[in-house]
Amino acid sequence: MAATDIARQVGEGCRTVPLAGHVGFDSLPDQLVNKSVSQGFCFNILCVGETGLGKSTLMDTLFNTKFEGEPATHTQPGVQLRSNTYDLQESNVGLKLTIVSTVGFGDQINKEDSYKPIVEFIDAQFEAYLQEELKIRRVLHTYHDSRIHACLYFIAPTGHSLKSLDLVTMKKLDSKVNIIPIIAKSDAISKSELTKFKIKITSELVSNGVQIYQFPTDDESVAEINGTMNAHLPFAVIGSTEELKIGNKMMKARQYPWGTVQVENEAHCDFVKLREMLIRVNMEDLREQTHTRHYELYRRCKLEEMGFKDTDPDSKPFSLQETYEAKRNEFLGELQKKEEEMRQMFVQRVKEKEAELKEAEKELHEKFDRLKKLHQDEKKKLEDKKKSLDDEVNAFKQRKTAAELLQSQGSQAGGSQTLKRDKEKKK
């Protein structure tokens, strides 16, 4: 009997039985809490928005601290993602917080591909977690989870409508991360303009099919507050690390010539609502949604690309071993096919090379024969020329010898005549 069939029968045969007394497994929630507190938690926030919208200031205000970071400029050639991780401690709970900022977003003339580095970064974190899951020896309990749990999308307070860059970017990100849109520096527009701007943003998001994160209402303990807060999206926020004395209290606020804007005053902005929803009420749900929804979607698509399926063509469940064996056999078949193709290609290239070498050898032999014949012809010409020169030298020598002989005979004849004349004179 297959293991899946056995597991199905075990699940179907489950019965509820009463206990005769206290056993003690009701302490499991306490054990889970203690273990979680000892291990600590992690939370990763992605801040997307144009330079100068107060992303760093809002993070400092949210977590009531001063995060170190270099201010971004408007001269970046492209969008770069800068990640910083901090260890925070509140009471006995530790939090490893990672803040990822999009440096240079919206600063280029051509903004067509501004979203691509963000999508690639999110996918890279999913891929890293998937690779850790697929290892034979996994250490997920100590693995630093870098998947993005919440994306705070900062919208410029124009008071008109969303920019095309904002719509395109949020549309590309909504299936990969929990998007919480916020209107940055909301004190730049009036309350009436802000109300109309919120309605306009919500309408544009719905008409363009952008899915933003909705605070969960399935838990009765937070259903009412989350349902109310869903109606306030997008949050209009103000950030400030300056503390001013208002009345008898020191409060975070922004001082203007016309008055003071209090960050934590809900009549002035939605900062408190954002902090409640993001940190104090729904942080665990954001982590859970990232794992069960966005990461599972990425994992499923990635495994389907690799050829893994849940069912066969007959709608019967596939086991991982069967899928692995099928993929292994398919891979071995493809490997053998490629080896055969490479062998045939190698043989073909060897034959072509042999033909080229034979042709080159033939040309060399022909060239050698031509040079040899040319050498023989030149040698024969030289020998004929040498023979001709030898003949001319011999003829010259013969003429020279004959001339010398004639000269000697002439001188002898002249001498005898002189002697004869001398004798005649004496007589």
Side-chain angles (χ1 to χ4, degrees):
M1 184 179 292
T4 53
D5 296 335
I6 296 175
R8 193 179 298 112
Q9 288 184 5
V10 170
E12 292 173 353
C14 182
R15 294 184 300 120
T16 301
V17 295
L19 300 178
H22 182 262
V23 177
F25 58 78
D26 57 351
S27 65
L28 273 174
D30 297 331
Q31 297 176 35
L32 182 60
V33 168
N34 294 333
K35 185 175 182 180
S36 299
V37 169
S38 63
Q39 291 178 349
F41 302 89
C42 72
F43 192 66
N44 307 319
I45 301 177
L46 171 65
C47 298
V48 181
E50 299 176 4
T51 305
L53 287 181
K55 298 185 292 294
S56 300
T57 303
L58 184 63
M59 290 297 103
D60 294 344
T61 312
L62 271 175
F63 291 94
N64 199 23
T65 186
K66 179 65 176 176
F67 296 116
E68 298 178 358
E70 299 178 358
T73 63
H74 292 272
T75 58
Q76 297 293 333
V79 180
Q80 299 177 356
L81 278 86
R82 186 181 297 165
S83 177
N84 294 293
T85 303
Y86 310 93
D87 286 322
L88 307 180
Q89 187 77 24
E90 187 175 37
S91 300
N92 64 332
V93 178
L95 178 67
K96 186 180 289 293
L97 176 68
T98 299
I99 299 175
V100 183
S101 58
T102 53
V103 181
F105 181 79
D107 290 340
Q108 296 74 37
I109 296 176
N110 183 6
K111 304 177 178 64
E112 185 178 357
D113 297 332
S114 295
Y115 68 88
K116 287 186 178 179
I118 305 174
V119 173
E120 291 172 358
F121 178 85
I122 295 173
D123 286 344
Q125 312 317 309
F126 284 153
E127 182 64 24
Y129 193 88
L130 178 61
Q131 292 301 322
E132 184 66 27
E133 270 193 339
L134 295 177
K135 286 182 179 179
I136 296 176
R137 294 183 178 180
R138 303 186 299 179
V139 286
L140 291 175
H141 60 284
T142 59
Y143 175 76
H144 174 53
D145 186 3
S146 59
R147 296 173 297 177
I148 301 299
H149 300 124
C151 171
L152 296 182
Y153 197 96
F154 288 70
I155 301 171
T158 61
H160 301 293
S161 61
L162 286 172
K163 299 179 181 179
S164 58
L165 173 63
D166 297 329
L167 286 172
V168 171
T169 304
M170 282 193 276
K171 185 62 179 175
K172 295 293 183 180
L173 296 179
D174 65 356
S175 63
K176 298 178 179 292
V177 70
N178 302 309
I179 299 177
I180 302 176
I182 58 177
I183 301 172
K185 296 185 175 181
S186 62
D187 53 343
I189 54 178
S190 65
K191 279 207 168 188
S192 59
E193 290 175 333
L194 186 59
T195 303
K196 294 178 182 178
F197 192 33
K198 282 189 174 186
I199 296 172
K200 183 67 174 176
I201 290 173
T202 305
S203 174
E204 289 184 344
L205 291 176
V206 172
S207 61
N208 288 276
V210 178
Q211 300 292 326
I212 64 173
Y213 174 73
Q214 295 292 320
F215 303 118
T217 56
D218 51 354
D219 186 354
E220 294 181 358
S221 61
V222 295
E224 183 178 354
I225 185 173
N226 280 348
T228 304
M229 292 302 162
N230 282 330
H232 284 82
L233 288 171
F235 292 134
V237 299
I238 301 168
S240 176
T241 56
E242 298 180 8
E243 289 193 350
L244 302 176
K245 188 173 183 180
I246 300 174
N248 296 325
K249 295 182 179 180
M250 297 297 293
M251 303 181 67
K252 288 184 172 61
R254 300 185 73 89
Q255 183 72 50
Y256 293 101
W258 45 263
T260 303
V261 177
Q262 300 174 24
V263 173
E264 296 181 328
N265 189 334
E266 294 190 48
H268 292 182
C269 69
D270 296 332
F271 173 80
V272 173
K273 296 182 179 68
L274 173 64
R275 184 178 60 191
E276 289 289 327
M277 293 296 98
L278 179 67
I279 301 175
R280 300 182 179 180
V281 179
N282 297 301
M283 180 180 280
E284 180 57 30
D285 185 73
L286 287 164
R287 286 159 40 93
E288 183 181 344
Q289 286 291 321
T290 299
H291 182 75
T292 60
R293 181 185 169 195
H294 301 297
Y295 171 69
E296 282 300 319
L297 177 61
Y298 177 85
R299 176 179 174 274
R300 186 181 72 225
C301 294
K302 200 70 176 179
L303 292 179
E304 286 178 352
E305 288 178 7
M306 297 167 63
F308 291 96
K309 298 179 181 178
D310 290 331
T311 58
D312 59 10
D314 298 329
S315 298
K316 294 181 179 179
F318 253 2
S319 69
L320 183 61
Q321 182 178 357
E322 291 174 352
T323 306
Y324 169 76
E325 290 294 336
K327 291 300 296 181
R328 182 174 181 275
N329 294 333
E330 181 182 350
F331 174 74
L332 290 176
E334 291 179 358
L335 183 62
Q336 291 177 355
K337 184 179 178 180
K338 287 184 178 180
E339 286 180 352
E340 182 63 23
E341 290 176 355
M342 292 179 66
R343 189 186 66 80
Q344 292 179 359
M345 187 181 297
F346 176 75
V347 171
Q348 181 67 22
R349 288 187 177 181
V350 168
K351 289 181 180 179
E352 292 175 357
K353 199 67 179 179
E354 287 180 350
E356 290 177 4
L357 291 174
K358 287 182 180 179
E359 186 67 24
E361 185 180 6
K362 183 179 178 181
E363 292 178 359
L364 286 174
H365 280 301
E366 291 177 353
K367 187 176 181 180
F368 176 76
D369 292 339
R370 287 196 304 271
L371 291 174
K372 185 177 180 181
K373 187 175 184 301
L374 181 63
H375 174 71
Q376 291 175 349
D377 294 341
E378 292 291 333
K379 184 178 180 181
K380 185 177 180 182
K381 287 180 182 179
L382 289 173
E383 288 177 350
D384 292 342
K385 194 170 184 179
K386 181 182 178 185
K387 184 178 180 182
S388 175
L389 289 173
D390 289 341
D391 293 342
E392 289 179 3
V393 169
N394 292 332
F396 175 77
K397 287 181 179 180
Q398 290 177 0
R399 288 196 298 271
K400 181 181 179 183
T401 303
E404 291 175 350
L405 181 60
L406 288 174
Q407 186 178 5
S408 63
Q409 288 176 357
S411 60
Q412 289 177 3
S416 60
Q417 289 179 359
T418 304
L419 289 174
K420 188 176 180 180
R421 283 196 298 268
D422 292 339
K423 287 179 180 182
E424 288 178 353
K425 288 179 179 182
K426 289 179 179 181
K427 289 181 180 181

